[in-house]
Amino acid sequence: MKNIIVGLITLYACYSFSQTQKKAERVFVNNKNIYYEVYGKGTPLVFLHGYSLSSQSWRPYVKDFAENYEVYLIDLTGHGKSDAFTEDLSITNVAKDVFALLKHLELKNIQAIGFSFGGDVLYQLALQKPRLITSMITIGAVGTWTVEDFPEYQKAFSFENRANFPWLVHHKNDDQIKAIMTQFKNYKVKISTEELKIIAPEVLIMIGDDDEGMDFNEIARVKKNLPKSDLWVLPNVAHGAHEGKTKHEFVKKANTFLKKVKINKAN
């Protein structure tokens, strides 16, 4: 848990950025308001944040992608400027909310990057809508994870300890923060081997080798069974493998991967 907290605090410290925003609004889909922002121009590139974070965690990366992509930052269900949780957390349902937003925005094909929770949502979205995502990068996520395997996480991540998680200030109020922390006990998602084999997008799996929340046997299962995937393991890096000292390397490799897949699809 310590490595994850340190990584997220580093990410929180990097929130400053400068980039012209094209649009920002809340859209009512699936009986809830979902917030998003848009930057840049080009192929739609969707960024999904980690659990208890918000779209603001991706803002420092906008300038690195907005020249070649129309960048969409989304506050996932329950987070940021989207409506607070009113139902038990379901990764499957969060993916349905994302698709409802993308449908509203008339985005029929996207590329995507998801960190942790956001990565798990992308795997579910790829299962639900096989033709939607052409390629995706998942960071600290392989589509299967349960908080029940990490009781120390759940114990530490409580409303009483909220001062230890400074990024929580980017949510609307204490009620929303309390709902996020309460719903963490319902974080359970599983992708079977059969489901992995039918995932259509090309996938870059990015993992830090010091990510204490990742099971390397599970990573190996996912890599073996995903039809089109690359695995990138970063040495001496924890959960937020895309930020801090590895940010530049991540941006370079992510742009190369996304561009390669875009060219391949065009051919």
Side-chain angles (χ1 to χ4, degrees), residues 22-168:
K22 289 171 58 177
K23 192 173 185 180
E25 66 175 352
R26 281 159 45 103
V27 174
F28 191 72
V29 292
N30 284 0
N31 296 313
K32 58 183 71 68
N33 289 293
I34 301 294
Y35 175 81
Y36 73 97
E37 301 173 352
V38 188
Y39 304 84
K41 59 182 179 179
T43 302
L45 177 61
V46 173
F47 285 81
L48 302 183
H49 59 79
Y51 195 81
S52 80
L53 293 171
S54 75
S55 58
Q56 291 198 42
S57 65
W58 281 118
R59 283 184 175 182
Y61 298 78
V62 168
K63 64 182 182 299
D64 299 305
F65 295 91
E67 185 175 335
N68 298 307
Y69 298 92
E70 187 171 58
V71 173
Y72 289 79
L73 309 185
I74 299 173
D75 279 345
L76 292 169
T77 309
H79 292 73
K81 296 180 182 179
S82 294
D83 285 351
F85 285 114
T86 57
E87 302 171 339
D88 286 350
L89 171 65
S90 161
I91 312 300
T92 299
N93 288 342
V94 173
K96 290 178 180 178
D97 292 340
V98 172
F99 176 69
L101 174 62
L102 298 179
K103 184 177 180 181
H104 171 84
L105 297 174
E106 298 183 344
L107 299 180
K108 296 180 180 180
N109 293 107
I110 65 167
Q111 294 178 284
I113 300 176
F115 170 51
S116 194
F117 173 50
D120 288 334
V121 172
L122 284 180
Y123 283 104
Q124 291 299 312
L125 190 58
L127 285 172
Q128 294 171 16
K129 304 295 175 183
R131 298 182 180 180
L132 175 65
I133 306 173
T134 58
S135 65
M136 64 190 203
I137 301 171
T138 62
I139 307 159
V142 289
T144 295
W145 197 83
T146 175
V147 71
E148 292 176 353
D149 291 339
F150 301 91
E152 69 278 15
Y153 288 11
Q154 191 170 341
K155 183 178 180 181
F157 194 63
S158 67
F159 189 69
E160 292 72 23
N161 295 331
R162 63 191 180 279
N164 295 328
F165 307 94
W167 55 88
L168 291 170

Side-chain angles (χ1 to χ4, degrees), residues 205-210 216 219 231-237 253:
I205 305 165
M206 182 178 176
I207 302 288
D209 71 348
D210 285 341
F216 274 78
I219 294 168
L231 175 61
W232 182 23
V233 180
L234 287 81
N236 305 312
V237 173
K253 193 173 184 75

Side-chain angles (χ1 to χ4, degrees), residues 195-246:
E195 288 174 323
L196 285 169
K197 291 178 179 178
I198 63 172
I199 287 181
E202 296 198 34
V203 183
L204 174 60
I205 305 165
M206 182 178 176
I207 302 288
D209 71 348
D210 285 341
D211 189 339
E212 60 192 27
M214 287 284 96
D215 181 342
F216 274 78
N217 290 324
E218 182 61 24
I219 294 168
R221 181 183 76 94
V222 171
K223 175 64 180 74
K224 178 181 178 180
N225 291 287
L226 274 176
K228 296 174 287 186
S229 64
D230 293 318
L231 175 61
W232 182 23
V233 180
L234 287 81
N236 305 312
V237 173
H239 192 51
H242 59 298
E243 45 88 17
K245 63 182 181 181
T246 58

